[in-house]
Amino acid sequence: MGFARACSVALVGVEGVVVEVQADLEPGVAAFTLVGLPDKSLVESRDRVRAAVVNSGAEWPQKKLTVGLSPASVPKSGSGFDLAVACAVLGAAERIDPAMIADVVMIGELGLDGRVRPVRGVLPAVLAAAEAGYEQVVVPEQTAGEAALVPGISVLGVRSLRQLIAVLCDEPVPEEPADSQGRPDAMLAGLMIPGTGLGTGLAPAAARGDGHRPDLADVAGQLRPRQALEVAAAGGHHLLLSGPPGAGKTMLAERLSAVLPPLTRQESLEVTAVHSVAGILPPGEPLVSRAPYCAPHHSATMQSLVGGGNGIPRPGAVSLAHRGVLFLDEAPEFSGKALDALRQPLESGHVVVARAAGVVRLPARFLMVLAANPCPCGRHTLTGAGCECPPSVVRRYQARLSGPLLDRVDLRVEVEPVDRADLLGQGGRGESTEVVAARVRDARARAAERLAGTPWTTNSEVPGHELRTRLLVAPGALAAAERDLERGILTARGLDRVLRVAWTVADLRAADRPDASDVAVALELRTGIQRGVPMGAGER
């Protein structure tokens, strides 16, 4: 009787569970049984592993073979268990020393010729292995850079099963010929789902066009929306841009992700893990260092926004925009069910998706930007433009953005049509993305210094209780906000969000704490009622 075990990782959402792959050989009729709650792609690994072992020059054991995946109660899917299954079988057949593979985590798909193909989700899988105390992992050569992002773990990248057998048996490692140059590497096909990177802004520059990165200086005029964009980036506040078609709402939203500061190391790992599982991590770029940008079409379903799918739920748009920007263009055209599903992640920074196959918690701390027209034809706010929408149609169209959803939006700005002077450049170009991003970084640094020792890093994350008890504004600064609260213009949540925006405005002008003018700016940005104060970050 022969027995051996290796380890692999099963992904549940973006979290990993270490799975022990056990192989047992017994005398009897040659058969291969795979147990442990595998899915269809994992059941098919029996044929892939057998062909890969034989074509790698090893002998397949002609005995009764049972491979168990433990714990058996965890659903297991995908082809990433092939490498661990093959090594466990070879260990049970004594081709490999079982002690050499007992504490090694192996992740990878096997081709019929024995080559090791990359799979999605390598980073969260290696993170789970490191948290479980494992120190050695074996991954496909193409994803070794992604696995090496996890500190304190030894990574071995292999190109074929033959190479791995040679390493484990201390034999000369054979050379594997590289594919022919001048054509795409077919081995990378399992890493990135075609087309998914385009909607998130993470596709290579060549796929997006000529590689030109949008700049805020390209936006003609729009001083107030530009300043609201700066406040949103500095404090992580959600933004609603409303105005007629062609005013520049989409241009502004597309430039927001470049204004955001670069991701920290921990944030980069979080974003990379989500994108690796979703299959939108570009090959050759193992670490996402800048804020992602996700702009789903208004026909997107609720499952595509918050996560879902058959079996274990997969990340949706809110998770793909984690630590970045989620832009919903033509927001009233989204279904009300899909929009209202955003309420929980807007408050908590994560989304919990419950399905029959299991409950998954996905990260979803994003900056939401909504763009909306005033009516179906878009000309309702234009003087003499000839809007023919009846008042009832206008009200019904604007009501598609529900009150509870809008109550979670800190900044609401009207984007006016661009006049001739601004459009022809007679008013001069506005500030560039680089200049605005520098102010945003300084403001975030001041907020991080103030919030040191707390679980929050930006003003938008601070709870209302802290704002009212520990982080106090200047005396008398809340008088206008309190009057709006008594009149019903503000809700209790709205007052907390006004305080958060006021702190961001104060950070942008390098003040110690907000005064009455900062609160007035925050109230104007939220309610749209003119307060007679300048909007510039440094003006007073």
Side-chain angles (χ1 to χ4, degrees):
M1 179 184 298
F3 176 84
R5 63 185 179 90
C7 296
S8 191
V9 178
L11 290 177
V12 183
V14 295
E15 299 177 356
V17 179
V18 176
V19 173
E20 189 175 273
V21 181
Q22 304 170 344
D24 177 69
L25 283 175
E26 298 178 357
V29 178
F32 188 170
T33 305
L34 183 65
V35 297
L37 210 59
D39 72 342
K40 179 65 175 176
S41 61
L42 188 50
V43 169
E44 293 174 349
S45 69
R46 295 179 299 184
D47 300 319
R48 289 196 303 269
V49 170
R50 181 187 293 110
V53 168
V54 172
N55 290 327
S56 296
E59 183 179 353
W60 183 260
Q62 298 299 321
K63 295 182 180 180
K64 181 182 179 182
L65 172 62
T66 303
V67 174
L69 308 176
S70 178
S73 59
V74 177
K76 304 165 190 71
S77 61
S79 56
F81 295 87
D82 290 2
L83 201 58
V85 171
C87 288
V89 171
L90 292 174
E94 298 183 353
R95 174 64 177 87
I96 298 174
D97 185 2
M100 294 290 295
I101 60 174
D103 295 320
V104 179
V105 175
M106 302 180 182
I107 305 163
E109 175 187 336
L110 286 175
L112 299 184
D113 57 353
R115 290 186 300 171
V116 180
R117 303 181 64 91
V119 294
R120 298 189 296 272
V122 167
L123 178 59
V126 177
L127 284 171
E131 291 175 0
Y134 291 87
E135 298 178 352
Q136 293 180 318
V137 297
V138 178
V139 298
E141 186 180 55
Q142 292 86 347
T143 58
E146 183 180 345
L149 297 174
V150 182
I153 197 161
S154 175
V155 178
L156 173 62
V158 295
R159 187 175 295 177
S160 68
L161 181 59
R162 284 183 290 271
Q163 290 184 339
L164 180 57
I165 294 174
V167 171
L168 294 175
C169 297
D170 198 17
E171 299 173 355
V173 179
E175 289 290 336
E176 293 291 342
D179 288 340
S180 301
Q181 299 298 322
R183 62 180 181 180
D185 188 356
M187 297 290 285
L188 299 176
L191 284 181
M192 191 169 181
I193 301 175
T196 53
L198 297 175
T200 61
L202 291 176
R208 295 196 298 268
D210 56 0
H212 171 71
R213 296 190 65 179
D215 195 289
L216 264 178
D218 301 333
V219 181
Q222 305 298 2
L223 177 61
R224 190 166 296 252
R226 285 169 59 99
Q227 292 164 341
L229 203 74
E230 183 176 342
V231 173
H237 307 289
H238 306 303
L239 174 64
L240 168 63
L241 299 173
S242 57
K249 302 185 294 294
T250 302
M251 285 187 67
L252 288 165
E254 289 177 344
R255 285 149 178 80
L256 179 55
S257 60
V259 177
L260 294 175
L263 301 178
T264 64
R265 177 72 178 186
Q266 180 60 34
E267 292 171 347
S268 294
L269 289 177
E270 294 175 7
V271 175
T272 304
V274 175
H275 292 179
S276 179
V277 170
I280 63 173
L281 193 63
E285 299 180 21
L287 186 66
V288 179
S289 59
R290 59 186 179 94
Y293 172 82
C294 188
H297 191 259
H298 61 257
S299 61
T301 62
M302 184 182 70
Q303 289 77 13
S304 66
L305 281 180
V306 300
N310 297 327
I312 297 296
R314 298 179 62 82
V318 296
S319 297
L320 300 182
H322 180 58
R323 302 295 181 183
V325 177
L326 176 67
F327 177 48
L328 302 183
D329 199 6
E330 306 293 346
E333 300 295 342
F334 283 80
S335 70
K337 187 177 180 181
L339 288 175
D340 288 337
L342 300 177
R343 296 183 194 176
Q344 181 214 359
L346 286 175
E347 286 288 328
S348 61
H350 64 268
V351 59
V352 178
V353 183
R355 295 290 185 269
V359 179
V360 173
R361 183 180 185 270
L362 301 169
R365 186 168 297 282
F366 55 90
L367 197 164
M368 182 179 69
V369 180
L370 302 174
N373 293 328
C375 67
C377 75
R379 301 190 297 269
H380 178 67
T381 56
L382 299 179
T383 304
C387 175
E388 299 178 353
C389 300
S392 60
V393 173
V394 175
R395 287 195 301 270
R396 187 161 56 247
Y397 185 81
Q398 295 178 351
R400 293 181 182 179
L401 299 179
S402 65
L405 176 65
L406 290 179
D407 200 33
R408 291 166 167 82
V409 179
D410 303 337
L411 314 174
R412 306 172 191 175
V413 182
E414 289 287 338
V415 183
E416 302 293 340
V418 184
D419 57 29
R420 183 182 62 181
D422 288 330
L423 190 60
L424 298 179
Q426 298 175 6
R429 286 170 61 88
E431 292 179 320
S432 66
T433 297
E434 185 179 355
V435 173
V436 177
R439 285 202 300 267
V440 169
R441 286 195 299 270
D442 293 341
R444 287 217 176 189
R446 279 187 283 272
E449 182 180 358
R450 180 174 62 252
L451 299 173
T454 69
W456 317 295
T457 56
T458 59
N459 293 323
S460 62
E461 302 173 7
V462 182
H465 176 73
E466 291 288 322
L467 294 169
R468 295 187 297 269
T469 57
R470 190 171 70 87
L471 301 175
L472 299 178
V473 300
L478 286 179
E482 292 170 354
R483 287 195 300 269
D484 285 359
L485 182 65
E486 292 174 356
R487 296 170 182 169
I489 300 176
L490 283 181
T491 63
R493 179 191 287 117
L495 178 61
D496 291 342
R497 292 184 174 274
V498 166
L499 286 174
R500 294 168 183 164
V501 175
W503 273 104
T504 301
V505 176
D507 288 336
L508 283 171
R509 66 181 185 92
D512 293 335
R513 58 178 177 174
D515 56 16
S517 59
D518 296 323
V519 176
V521 171
L523 283 171
E524 182 173 333
L525 287 172
R526 181 171 182 83
T527 63
I529 301 174
Q530 298 293 329
R531 307 283 171 164
V533 292
M535 290 282 294
E539 299 178 9
R540 277 297 177 264

Coordinates of all heavy atoms in Angstrom, one line a residue, residues 6-10 19 21 23 32 34 38-53 56 60 65 67 69 76-90 96 101 105-119 138-140 158 160-161 164-165:
A6 N 0.0 16.0 -0.7 CA 0.5 17.3 -1.1 C -0.5 18.3 -0.7 O -1.6 18.0 -0.2 CB 0.9 17.4 -2.6
C7 N -0.3 19.6 -0.9 CA -1.2 20.6 -0.6 C -1.5 21.5 -1.7 O -0.6 21.8 -2.6 CB -0.7 21.4 0.6 SG -0.5 20.5 2.1
S8 N -2.7 22.0 -1.8 CA -3.1 23.0 -2.7 C -4.0 24.0 -2.0 O -4.2 23.9 -0.8 CB -3.7 22.4 -4.0 OG -3.9 23.3 -5.0
V9 N -4.7 24.9 -2.8 CA -5.5 25.9 -2.2 C -6.8 26.0 -3.0 O -6.8 26.1 -4.2 CB -4.9 27.3 -2.2 CG1 -5.8 28.3 -1.6 CG2 -3.6 27.2 -1.4
A10 N -8.0 26.0 -2.3 CA -9.3 26.2 -2.9 C -9.7 27.6 -2.6 O -9.6 28.1 -1.4 CB -10.3 25.2 -2.3
V19 N -6.0 23.1 1.0 CA -6.6 21.7 0.8 C -5.5 20.7 0.8 O -4.5 20.9 0.1 CB -7.4 21.7 -0.5 CG1 -7.9 20.3 -0.8 CG2 -8.6 22.6 -0.4
V21 N -4.2 17.3 -0.5 CA -4.5 16.3 -1.6 C -3.8 15.0 -1.2 O -2.6 14.9 -1.1 CB -4.0 16.8 -2.9 CG1 -4.2 15.9 -4.0 CG2 -4.6 18.2 -3.2
A23 N -3.3 10.9 -1.8 CA -3.3 9.8 -2.8 C -3.1 8.5 -2.1 O -2.1 8.3 -1.3 CB -2.3 10.1 -3.9
F32 N -9.2 5.1 -11.1 CA -8.8 6.4 -10.5 C -10.1 7.0 -10.0 O -11.0 7.4 -10.8 CB -8.2 7.2 -11.6 CG -7.6 8.5 -11.1 CD1 -6.8 9.3 -12.0 CD2 -7.8 9.0 -9.8 CE1 -6.3 10.5 -11.6 CE2 -7.3 10.2 -9.4 CZ -6.5 11.0 -10.3
L34 N -11.7 10.2 -7.6 CA -11.5 11.5 -7.1 C -12.7 11.9 -6.2 O -13.8 11.9 -6.7 CB -11.3 12.5 -8.2 CG -10.9 13.9 -7.7 CD1 -9.5 13.9 -7.1 CD2 -10.9 14.9 -9.0
P38 N -15.5 17.8 -5.7 CA -14.9 18.5 -6.8 C -16.0 18.9 -7.8 O -17.1 18.3 -7.8 CB -14.0 17.4 -7.4 CG -14.7 16.1 -7.1 CD -15.4 16.3 -5.8
D39 N -15.7 19.9 -8.6 CA -16.6 20.3 -9.7 C -16.2 19.6 -11.0 O -15.3 18.8 -11.0 CB -16.7 21.9 -9.8 CG -15.4 22.4 -10.5 OD1 -14.4 21.7 -10.5 OD2 -15.4 23.5 -11.0
K40 N -16.9 20.0 -12.0 CA -16.7 19.3 -13.3 C -15.3 19.5 -13.8 O -14.7 18.5 -14.2 CB -17.7 19.9 -14.3 CG -17.6 19.2 -15.7 CD -18.0 17.8 -15.7 CE -18.0 17.2 -17.1 NZ -18.3 15.7 -17.1
S41 N -14.7 20.7 -13.8 CA -13.4 20.9 -14.3 C -12.4 20.1 -13.4 O -11.3 19.7 -14.0 CB -13.0 22.4 -14.3 OG -13.1 22.9 -13.0
L42 N -12.6 19.9 -12.2 CA -11.7 19.2 -11.3 C -11.9 17.7 -11.5 O -10.9 16.9 -11.5 CB -12.0 19.6 -9.8 CG -11.0 19.0 -8.8 CD1 -9.5 19.3 -9.2 CD2 -11.3 19.6 -7.4
V43 N -13.1 17.2 -11.8 CA -13.2 15.8 -12.1 C -12.5 15.4 -13.3 O -11.9 14.3 -13.4 CB -14.7 15.5 -12.2 CG1 -14.9 14.0 -12.8 CG2 -15.4 15.6 -10.9
E44 N -12.4 16.3 -14.3 CA -11.7 16.0 -15.6 C -10.2 16.0 -15.4 O -9.5 15.6 -16.3 CB -12.1 17.1 -16.6 CG -13.5 17.1 -17.0 CD -13.9 18.2 -18.0 OE1 -13.0 19.1 -18.1 OE2 -14.9 18.2 -18.6
S45 N -9.7 16.4 -14.2 CA -8.3 16.4 -14.0 C -7.7 14.9 -14.0 O -6.5 14.7 -14.1 CB -8.0 17.0 -12.6 OG -8.4 16.3 -11.5
R46 N -8.6 13.9 -13.8 CA -8.1 12.6 -13.8 C -7.5 12.2 -15.1 O -6.4 11.7 -15.2 CB -9.3 11.6 -13.5 CG -9.9 11.7 -12.1 CD -11.1 10.8 -11.9 NE -12.2 11.1 -12.9 CZ -13.3 10.5 -12.9 NH1 -13.5 9.5 -12.0 NH2 -14.3 10.8 -13.8
D47 N -8.1 12.6 -16.2 CA -7.5 12.3 -17.5 C -6.3 13.2 -17.8 O -5.3 12.8 -18.4 CB -8.6 12.5 -18.6 CG -9.8 11.6 -18.4 OD1 -9.5 10.4 -18.0 OD2 -10.9 12.0 -18.6
R48 N -6.4 14.5 -17.4 CA -5.3 15.4 -17.6 C -4.0 14.9 -16.9 O -2.9 14.9 -17.4 CB -5.6 16.8 -17.2 CG -6.6 17.5 -18.1 CD -6.6 19.0 -17.8 NE -6.9 19.3 -16.4 CZ -8.1 19.5 -15.9 NH1 -9.2 19.5 -16.7 NH2 -8.3 19.8 -14.6
V49 N -4.2 14.6 -15.6 CA -3.1 14.2 -14.8 C -2.4 12.9 -15.3 O -1.2 12.7 -15.4 CB -3.5 14.0 -13.3 CG1 -2.4 13.4 -12.5 CG2 -3.8 15.4 -12.7
R50 N -3.3 11.9 -15.7 CA -2.7 10.6 -16.2 C -1.9 10.9 -17.5 O -0.8 10.3 -17.6 CB -3.9 9.7 -16.5 CG -3.4 8.3 -17.0 CD -4.5 7.4 -17.5 NE -5.4 7.0 -16.4 CZ -6.6 7.4 -16.2 NH1 -7.2 8.3 -17.1 NH2 -7.4 7.0 -15.2
A51 N -2.4 11.6 -18.4 CA -1.7 11.9 -19.6 C -0.4 12.7 -19.4 O 0.6 12.4 -20.0 CB -2.6 12.6 -20.6
A52 N -0.5 13.7 -18.5 CA 0.7 14.5 -18.2 C 1.8 13.6 -17.5 O 3.0 13.8 -17.9 CB 0.3 15.6 -17.3
V53 N 1.4 12.8 -16.6 CA 2.4 11.9 -16.0 C 3.1 11.0 -17.0 O 4.3 10.8 -17.0 CB 1.8 11.1 -14.8 CG1 2.7 10.0 -14.3 CG2 1.4 12.0 -13.7
S56 N 5.4 12.8 -19.3 CA 6.6 13.3 -18.6 C 7.6 12.3 -18.4 O 8.6 12.5 -17.7 CB 6.1 14.0 -17.3 OG 5.3 15.1 -17.6
W60 N 2.7 5.4 -14.8 CA 1.4 5.5 -14.1 C 1.1 4.2 -13.4 O 1.2 3.1 -13.9 CB 0.3 5.8 -15.1 CG -1.0 6.0 -14.4 CD1 -2.1 5.1 -14.3 CD2 -1.5 7.2 -13.8 NE1 -3.1 5.7 -13.6 CE2 -2.7 7.0 -13.2 CE3 -0.9 8.5 -13.6 CZ2 -3.5 7.9 -12.5 CZ3 -1.6 9.4 -12.9 CH2 -2.8 9.2 -12.4
L65 N -6.5 3.5 -7.4 CA -6.0 4.8 -6.9 C -7.2 5.6 -6.5 O -8.2 5.8 -7.2 CB -5.3 5.5 -8.1 CG -4.9 7.0 -7.8 CD1 -3.9 7.1 -6.6 CD2 -4.3 7.6 -9.1
V67 N -7.9 9.4 -4.8 CA -7.4 10.8 -4.5 C -8.5 11.5 -3.7 O -9.6 11.7 -4.2 CB -7.0 11.5 -5.7 CG1 -6.6 13.0 -5.3 CG2 -5.8 10.8 -6.4
L69 N -9.6 15.0 -1.5 CA -9.4 16.4 -1.3 C -10.0 16.8 0.1 O -11.2 16.8 0.2 CB -10.0 17.3 -2.4 CG -9.6 16.9 -3.8 CD1 -10.3 17.7 -4.8 CD2 -8.1 17.0 -4.0
K76 N -14.7 22.7 -4.2 CA -13.4 22.9 -4.9 C -13.7 23.0 -6.4 O -14.4 22.2 -6.9 CB -12.5 21.8 -4.6 CG -12.2 21.6 -3.1 CD -11.6 20.3 -2.7 CE -11.6 20.1 -1.2 NZ -13.0 19.8 -0.7
S77 N -13.1 24.0 -7.0 CA -13.4 24.2 -8.5 C -12.1 24.6 -9.1 O -11.1 25.0 -8.5 CB -14.4 25.3 -8.7 OG -14.0 26.5 -8.1
G78 N -12.1 24.5 -10.5 CA -10.9 24.9 -11.2 C -9.9 23.8 -11.5 O -10.0 22.7 -10.9
S79 N -8.9 24.1 -12.3 CA -7.9 23.2 -12.7 C -6.6 23.4 -11.9 O -5.6 22.7 -12.3 CB -7.7 23.3 -14.2 OG -7.3 24.6 -14.5
G80 N -6.6 24.2 -10.9 CA -5.3 24.5 -10.2 C -4.9 23.4 -9.3 O -3.8 23.5 -8.7
F81 N -5.6 22.3 -9.1 CA -5.2 21.2 -8.3 C -4.4 20.2 -9.0 O -3.9 19.2 -8.4 CB -6.5 20.5 -7.7 CG -7.2 21.4 -6.7 CD1 -8.2 22.3 -7.2 CD2 -7.0 21.4 -5.4 CE1 -8.9 23.1 -6.3 CE2 -7.7 22.2 -4.5 CZ -8.6 23.1 -5.0
D82 N -4.3 20.3 -10.4 CA -3.7 19.2 -11.2 C -2.2 18.9 -10.7 O -1.9 17.8 -10.5 CB -3.6 19.7 -12.6 CG -5.0 19.7 -13.3 OD1 -5.9 19.4 -12.6 OD2 -5.0 20.0 -14.5
L83 N -1.5 20.0 -10.4 CA -0.1 19.7 -10.0 C 0.0 19.0 -8.7 O 0.9 18.1 -8.6 CB 0.7 21.1 -9.9 CG 2.2 21.1 -10.1 CD1 2.6 20.5 -11.4 CD2 2.7 22.5 -9.9
A84 N -0.8 19.4 -7.7 CA -0.8 18.7 -6.4 C -1.2 17.2 -6.6 O -0.7 16.3 -5.9 CB -1.6 19.4 -5.4
V85 N -2.2 17.0 -7.4 CA -2.7 15.6 -7.6 C -1.7 14.8 -8.2 O -1.4 13.6 -7.8 CB -4.0 15.6 -8.5 CG1 -4.4 14.2 -8.9 CG2 -5.2 16.3 -7.7
A86 N -1.0 15.3 -9.3 CA 0.1 14.5 -9.9 C 1.2 14.2 -9.0 O 1.7 13.0 -9.0 CB 0.6 15.3 -11.1
C87 N 1.6 15.1 -8.2 CA 2.7 14.8 -7.3 C 2.3 13.9 -6.1 O 3.1 13.1 -5.7 CB 3.3 16.2 -6.7 SG 4.2 17.2 -7.8
A88 N 1.1 14.0 -5.7 CA 0.6 13.1 -4.7 C 0.6 11.6 -5.2 O 1.0 10.7 -4.5 CB -0.8 13.5 -4.1
V89 N 0.1 11.5 -6.5 CA 0.1 10.1 -7.1 C 1.5 9.6 -7.3 O 1.8 8.4 -6.9 CB -0.6 10.2 -8.4 CG1 -0.5 8.9 -9.2 CG2 -2.1 10.5 -8.2
L90 N 2.4 10.4 -7.7 CA 3.8 10.0 -7.9 C 4.5 9.7 -6.5 O 5.3 8.8 -6.4 CB 4.6 11.0 -8.6 CG 4.2 11.3 -10.1 CD1 5.0 12.4 -10.7 CD2 4.5 10.0 -10.9
I96 N 8.5 9.8 -6.2 CA 9.0 10.9 -5.5 C 8.9 10.6 -4.0 O 8.0 9.9 -3.6 CB 8.1 12.2 -5.8 CG1 8.1 12.6 -7.3 CG2 8.5 13.4 -4.9 CD1 7.1 13.7 -7.6
I101 N 7.2 16.3 -0.5 CA 6.0 17.1 -0.9 C 4.9 17.3 0.2 O 3.9 17.9 -0.1 CB 5.4 16.4 -2.2 CG1 4.9 15.0 -1.8 CG2 6.3 16.4 -3.3 CD1 4.1 14.3 -2.9
V105 N 3.0 23.6 -1.0 CA 1.7 23.9 -1.6 C 1.9 24.1 -3.1 O 2.9 24.8 -3.5 CB 1.2 25.3 -1.0 CG1 -0.1 25.7 -1.8 CG2 0.9 25.1 0.4
M106 N 1.1 23.4 -3.9 CA 1.3 23.3 -5.4 C 0.1 23.8 -6.0 O -1.1 23.4 -5.7 CB 1.6 21.9 -5.8 CG 2.8 21.3 -5.2 SD 3.2 19.6 -5.7 CE 4.6 19.2 -4.8
I107 N 0.3 24.8 -7.0 CA -0.9 25.4 -7.7 C -0.5 25.4 -9.2 O 0.5 25.9 -9.6 CB -1.1 26.8 -7.2 CG1 -1.3 26.8 -5.7 CG2 -2.3 27.5 -7.9 CD1 -1.2 28.2 -5.1
G108 N -1.4 24.9 -10.0 CA -1.1 24.9 -11.4 C -1.9 23.8 -12.2 O -2.3 22.8 -11.6
E109 N -2.2 24.1 -13.4 CA -2.9 23.2 -14.3 C -1.9 22.5 -15.2 O -0.9 23.1 -15.6 CB -3.9 24.0 -15.2 CG -4.6 23.2 -16.2 CD -5.4 24.0 -17.2 OE1 -5.8 25.1 -16.8 OE2 -5.7 23.5 -18.3
L110 N -2.2 21.2 -15.5 CA -1.3 20.4 -16.3 C -1.9 20.2 -17.7 O -3.1 20.0 -17.9 CB -1.1 19.0 -15.7 CG -0.2 19.0 -14.5 CD1 -0.2 17.6 -13.9 CD2 1.2 19.4 -14.8
G111 N -1.1 20.5 -18.7 CA -1.5 20.1 -20.1 C -1.2 18.6 -20.3 O -0.5 17.9 -19.5
L112 N -1.7 18.1 -21.4 CA -1.6 16.7 -21.7 C -0.1 16.3 -21.9 O 0.3 15.2 -21.8 CB -2.5 16.3 -22.9 CG -4.0 16.5 -22.7 CD1 -4.7 16.0 -23.9 CD2 -4.5 15.8 -21.4
D113 N 0.7 17.3 -22.4 CA 2.1 17.0 -22.6 C 3.0 17.2 -21.4 O 4.2 17.1 -21.5 CB 2.6 17.9 -23.8 CG 2.4 19.4 -23.5 OD1 1.8 19.7 -22.4 OD2 2.9 20.2 -24.3
G114 N 2.4 17.5 -20.3 CA 3.1 17.7 -19.0 C 3.5 19.1 -18.7 O 4.1 19.4 -17.7
R115 N 3.2 20.1 -19.6 CA 3.5 21.5 -19.3 C 2.6 22.0 -18.2 O 1.4 21.6 -18.1 CB 3.4 22.3 -20.5 CG 4.5 22.1 -21.6 CD 4.3 23.1 -22.7 NE 3.0 23.0 -23.4 CZ 2.6 23.9 -24.3 NH1 3.4 24.9 -24.6 NH2 1.4 23.7 -24.8
V116 N 3.1 22.9 -17.4 CA 2.4 23.5 -16.3 C 1.8 24.8 -16.8 O 2.5 25.7 -17.1 CB 3.2 23.7 -15.0 CG1 2.4 24.3 -13.9 CG2 3.8 22.4 -14.6
R117 N 0.5 24.9 -16.8 CA -0.2 26.1 -17.3 C -0.6 27.0 -16.1 O -1.0 26.5 -15.1 CB -1.4 25.7 -18.1 CG -1.1 24.8 -19.3 CD -2.3 24.5 -20.1 NE -2.9 25.7 -20.7 CZ -2.6 26.2 -21.9 NH1 -1.7 25.5 -22.7 NH2 -3.1 27.3 -22.4
P118 N -0.6 28.3 -16.3 CA -1.0 29.2 -15.2 C -2.5 29.2 -15.0 O -3.2 29.0 -15.9 CB -0.5 30.6 -15.7 CG -0.4 30.5 -17.2 CD -0.1 29.1 -17.5
V119 N -2.9 29.6 -13.8 CA -4.3 29.7 -13.4 C -4.5 31.0 -12.8 O -3.6 31.7 -12.3 CB -4.7 28.5 -12.5 CG1 -4.6 27.2 -13.2 CG2 -3.9 28.5 -11.2
V138 N 4.8 25.9 -5.1 CA 5.2 25.7 -6.4 C 4.1 26.2 -7.3 O 3.0 25.8 -7.2 CB 5.5 24.2 -6.7 CG1 5.8 23.9 -8.2 CG2 6.6 23.6 -5.8
V139 N 4.5 27.0 -8.3 CA 3.5 27.7 -9.2 C 4.0 27.6 -10.6 O 5.2 27.4 -10.8 CB 3.2 29.1 -8.8 CG1 2.6 29.2 -7.4 CG2 4.5 30.0 -8.9
P140 N 3.2 27.8 -11.6 CA 3.7 27.9 -13.0 C 4.7 29.1 -13.1 O 4.6 30.1 -12.4 CB 2.4 28.2 -13.8 CG 1.3 27.7 -12.9 CD 1.7 27.9 -11.5
V158 N 7.9 26.6 -12.1 CA 8.3 25.5 -13.0 C 7.5 25.6 -14.3 O 6.4 26.2 -14.4 CB 8.0 24.1 -12.4 CG1 8.8 23.9 -11.1 CG2 6.5 24.0 -12.0
S160 N 7.3 22.7 -16.4 CA 6.7 21.4 -16.8 C 6.8 20.5 -15.6 O 7.5 20.8 -14.6 CB 7.4 20.8 -18.0 OG 8.8 20.4 -17.6
L161 N 6.0 19.4 -15.6 CA 6.0 18.4 -14.6 C 7.4 17.7 -14.5 O 7.8 17.3 -13.5 CB 4.9 17.4 -14.8 CG 4.7 16.3 -13.8 CD1 4.5 16.9 -12.4 CD2 3.6 15.4 -14.2
L164 N 9.7 19.7 -12.3 CA 9.4 19.6 -10.9 C 9.8 18.2 -10.4 O 10.4 18.1 -9.2 CB 7.9 19.7 -10.7 CG 7.4 19.6 -9.3 CD1 8.1 20.6 -8.4 CD2 5.9 19.8 -9.2
I165 N 9.6 17.1 -11.1 CA 10.1 15.8 -10.7 C 11.6 15.8 -10.5 O 12.1 15.3 -9.5 CB 9.6 14.8 -11.7 CG1 8.1 14.6 -11.7 CG2 10.3 13.4 -11.3 CD1 7.6 13.7 -12.8

